[in-house]
Amino acid sequence: MRVMSKIAERAAALVDRVVGSWLSRTGGGAAVRQRELMILSRLALLSSAALVAAPVGLSLVTSPAVALPVGVATVCAAFLFSAVGSIALSRQSTATAAVAPPIAEDFFMEATAGLALFLDPQGNVTTVGGRDKREYLAWIRDPIGKGFVDQIHVSDRILFLQALDQLRQGEATAAVDLRLERPSVSRDNRQFAYLRMDLTARHDSDGVFFSVIAQLRDVSMEQQLRQEAQSRAADARTANDAKSRFLAAVSHELRTPLNAILGFSDILLGEYFGKFENERQREYVGLVRDSGAHLLSVVNTMLDMSKIEAGRYELCLEPFDIAAVVRSCEAMLALQAKTKGVTLTSRVQRGLDEVVADQRAIQQILINLVGNAVKFTDAGGAISIDASMRDGVLNLSVSDTGIGIPGDKLEMLGQPFVQIQNDYSRRFEGTGLGLSLVKGLVALHGGDFAIASTPGSGTIITISIAADGSGVPAAGTARNDLVEFPPRLKAAPALVGVLEEGLFDGREQAKIA
């Protein structure tokens, strides 16, 4: 048995050498020869069994002298036909698989938008294609080899090399914006063309990086629009800064003569250097004094606005009695309200503790809100100032029974020098600065501003700030976001006259007082 086994092994080895030698002369790679050798080995195994079975089967119907040669010849013929057919089919399928990728690559190179390039791992261009190839090659010099890299702007070549290095390190894709030199004379007189280059790595069956597919698209128009937008934004910032400096300078220069006007007007009204000969003189001096006071108020407001807009308004936090501030505001504007025939009252929550904030800013907020309420409330109306605290948040509300504001106009409130104009408010004077300053001061305190109004019924404005001053950044802390100026309402009420639960519209709120 051992002898027969060794003979069989030697015979098989001999057959493999003979078949391998024959296959090597027919062409094909090592993988192809190995696959065909396996096919022939299987056919040889089947033919060995058939060499015995075929003559035995034929001897049943004919004499052994005829059955033996006929059976052997039949098996050998069948072996040859099967071997040739199997090898032919195998090589045909291999050829089809080898031809398919080039066909796909050709289609890609023809159908890809823009300019398509095949690059080797070093970044040299090996193939050029793309749907718009003719348009690009009309102004790009021959990109084959290092021709493409030589045309890239010197400052952008490092970006291109970094993108290639990312692909070598294992990244599947990369993208980079490049500038390519254009001919000295072009239709649009641009020295460089801005291109966006999308890179895709290609790997072989073993995962080895061997080439790069690059697609280039012209983004010069996008770059031009981006540069124009940046230029316009820079111009807007410059104009805004110039406007702020102008307002600050004008406001500062106007305050000195206005203070002199007010001082001398007070002296004249006090009749320190003689009596007025008639009441007309006293009336005129009083008008001069009132006009000067109004103008000084406008100048101070403009100066504060410019400080807020430039981020230079500094809050002085200190504990103070909010009830005293409310009473002071009420006393300051009581005469103005009485002269117009409007009832002004205030309500302060019992036991309201001290709050930490900028007392001057809070007082200015209340004066502006109450002053607007008096201005836009007709005789017989009512105005209420309410102060309360809940969960560490100070709430200040000013409500009136005035002309109200249409719902579609609420978004315009708070813009400097803008007044809501309608049939009711057109007759009221003003600059439209008060509410803008209020919203800016509230934002500096880190608070919230809310407004609701019904035309013809009234308005209620509520500000909410942290009672302990925690809404204001600590001294020395850098602010990443400046206060938005002009400030805008965070959310306009969905329905005019509809407030959150527990609040009322302006008319009812004021009537309770």
Side-chain angles (χ1 to χ4, degrees):
M1 292 294 294
R2 292 181 180 179
V3 175
M4 295 298 295
S5 176
K6 291 181 179 181
I7 293 174
E9 292 177 0
R10 291 180 180 178
L14 178 61
V15 171
D16 290 342
R17 285 197 301 271
V18 173
V19 172
S21 177
W22 176 70
L23 290 176
S24 64
R25 293 193 297 270
T26 61
V32 175
R33 290 198 299 270
Q34 186 65 27
R35 183 169 59 254
E36 293 175 352
L37 181 60
M38 292 178 58
I39 295 173
L40 293 178
S41 298
R42 293 173 184 174
L43 291 176
L45 180 62
L46 295 175
S47 300
S48 300
L51 284 175
V52 178
V56 172
L58 290 175
S59 64
L60 299 177
V61 296
T62 185
S63 63
V66 177
L68 181 60
V70 172
V72 172
T74 303
V75 171
C76 290
F79 171 79
L80 292 176
F81 279 111
S82 300
V84 173
S86 299
I87 291 174
L89 291 175
S90 176
R91 293 196 175 186
Q92 183 178 2
S93 61
T94 302
T96 303
V99 170
I103 293 177
E105 290 180 359
D106 292 343
F107 176 78
F108 172 79
M109 295 298 286
E110 293 177 1
T112 301
L115 183 66
L117 303 175
F118 279 5
L119 297 85
D120 62 17
Q122 287 71 40
N124 300 321
V125 177
T126 59
T127 308
V128 180
R131 189 177 62 194
D132 305 320
K133 170 183 174 181
R134 182 175 300 177
E135 298 179 7
Y136 280 87
L137 294 183
W139 59 270
I140 293 180
R141 299 192 301 272
D142 185 11
I144 297 296
K146 295 184 178 297
F148 176 75
V149 179
D150 292 340
Q151 299 179 67
I152 299 177
H153 191 281
V154 175
S155 301
D156 296 340
R157 292 180 187 179
I158 184 64
L159 301 177
F160 174 71
L161 296 177
Q162 287 176 348
L164 279 179
D165 188 62
Q166 292 178 7
L167 300 181
R168 296 192 195 100
Q169 297 298 328
E171 295 290 337
T173 60
V176 62
D177 289 340
L178 304 173
R179 287 170 291 176
L180 259 64
E181 295 180 3
R182 296 176 63 90
S184 57
V185 179
S186 60
R187 289 178 298 177
D188 49 10
N189 296 322
R190 287 184 291 134
Q191 182 180 2
F192 296 99
Y194 292 85
L195 302 178
R196 179 159 298 140
M197 191 175 192
D198 294 318
L199 305 172
T200 304
R202 301 181 68 195
H203 301 84
D204 58 17
S205 58
D206 297 329
V208 178
F209 171 64
F210 72 94
S211 69
V212 177
I213 300 176
Q215 181 184 11
L216 286 84
R217 292 177 291 112
D218 192 344
V219 293
S220 299
M221 186 59 66
E222 298 178 15
Q223 181 66 22
Q224 181 179 356
L225 294 176
R226 189 182 301 112
Q227 291 177 349
E228 291 179 358
Q230 293 175 352
S231 176
R232 291 177 181 176
D235 293 342
R237 285 193 296 268
T238 302
N240 189 56
D241 293 341
K243 182 260 298 179
S244 299
R245 290 193 297 269
F246 173 78
L247 287 178
V250 170
S251 300
H252 177 74
E253 294 299 328
L254 288 177
R255 291 174 71 179
T256 300
L258 284 175
N259 286 327
I261 292 173
L262 293 177
F264 289 126
S265 298
D266 289 336
I267 292 175
L268 292 175
L269 287 175
E271 298 180 340
Y272 295 107
F273 300 103
K275 300 288 185 179
F276 289 111
E277 294 182 1
N278 54 61
E279 290 298 321
R280 183 65 60 87
Q281 293 177 339
R282 181 185 299 274
E283 179 184 357
Y284 287 168
V285 172
L287 290 176
V288 171
R289 204 275 175 199
D290 293 340
S291 299
H294 174 70
L295 185 56
L296 181 61
S297 175
V298 173
V299 169
N300 289 334
T301 301
M302 291 173 60
L303 184 59
D304 290 338
M305 284 175 53
S306 61
K307 288 181 179 179
I308 293 175
E309 188 173 9
R312 298 293 184 267
Y313 193 103
E314 297 182 2
L315 297 178
C316 180
L317 301 182
E318 58 181 348
F320 62 92
D321 185 5
I322 187 63
V325 173
V326 173
R327 288 192 295 268
S328 174
C329 176
E330 180 183 4
M332 191 179 304
L333 296 172
L335 180 60
Q336 181 180 349
K338 183 178 180 180
T339 302
K340 196 173 181 181
V342 176
T343 302
L344 175 60
T345 59
S346 64
R347 298 179 299 183
V348 179
Q349 180 180 333
R350 183 176 301 176
L352 186 61
D353 297 330
E354 289 185 340
V355 298
V356 178
D358 188 317
Q359 182 175 354
R360 173 179 170 274
I362 297 299
Q363 188 169 6
Q364 194 168 11
I365 288 173
L366 288 176
I367 290 175
N368 280 283
L369 292 180
V370 176
N372 279 346
V374 173
K375 181 191 302 183
F376 296 106
T377 302
D378 294 328
I383 300 173
S384 174
I385 309 173
D386 299 305
S388 61
M389 186 182 301
R390 182 178 180 181
D391 298 331
V393 177
L394 173 66
N395 297 307
L396 297 174
S397 298
V398 176
S399 56
D400 62 67
T401 59
I403 61 176
I405 305 170
D408 58 346
K409 303 292 186 180
L410 290 178
E411 285 291 340
M412 298 174 59
L413 288 178
Q415 299 182 16
F417 307 104
V418 173
Q419 277 190 309
I420 306 302
Q421 298 292 335
N422 54 38
D423 295 339
Y424 298 98
S425 63
R426 191 177 299 275
R427 68 179 187 272
F428 295 102
E429 63 178 9
T431 59
L433 295 175
L435 197 57
S436 178
L437 179 60
V438 167
K439 298 177 74 173
L441 293 175
V442 171
L444 286 175
H445 282 84
D448 295 324
F449 180 101
I451 182 171
S453 182
T454 302
S457 298
T459 302
I460 176 172
I461 297 178
T462 303
I463 65 171
S464 303
I465 62 174
D468 58 356
S470 59
V472 181
T477 303
R479 294 185 55 136
N480 294 328
D481 54 334
L482 295 178
V483 175
E484 181 184 17
F485 201 89
R488 294 176 294 178
L489 293 177
K490 293 185 176 180
L495 297 175
V496 179
V498 179
L499 303 179
E500 297 180 1
E501 184 178 356
L503 297 179
F504 306 91
D505 64 22
R507 179 179 292 276
E508 284 74 12
Q509 183 80 0
K511 281 186 175 180
I512 295 177

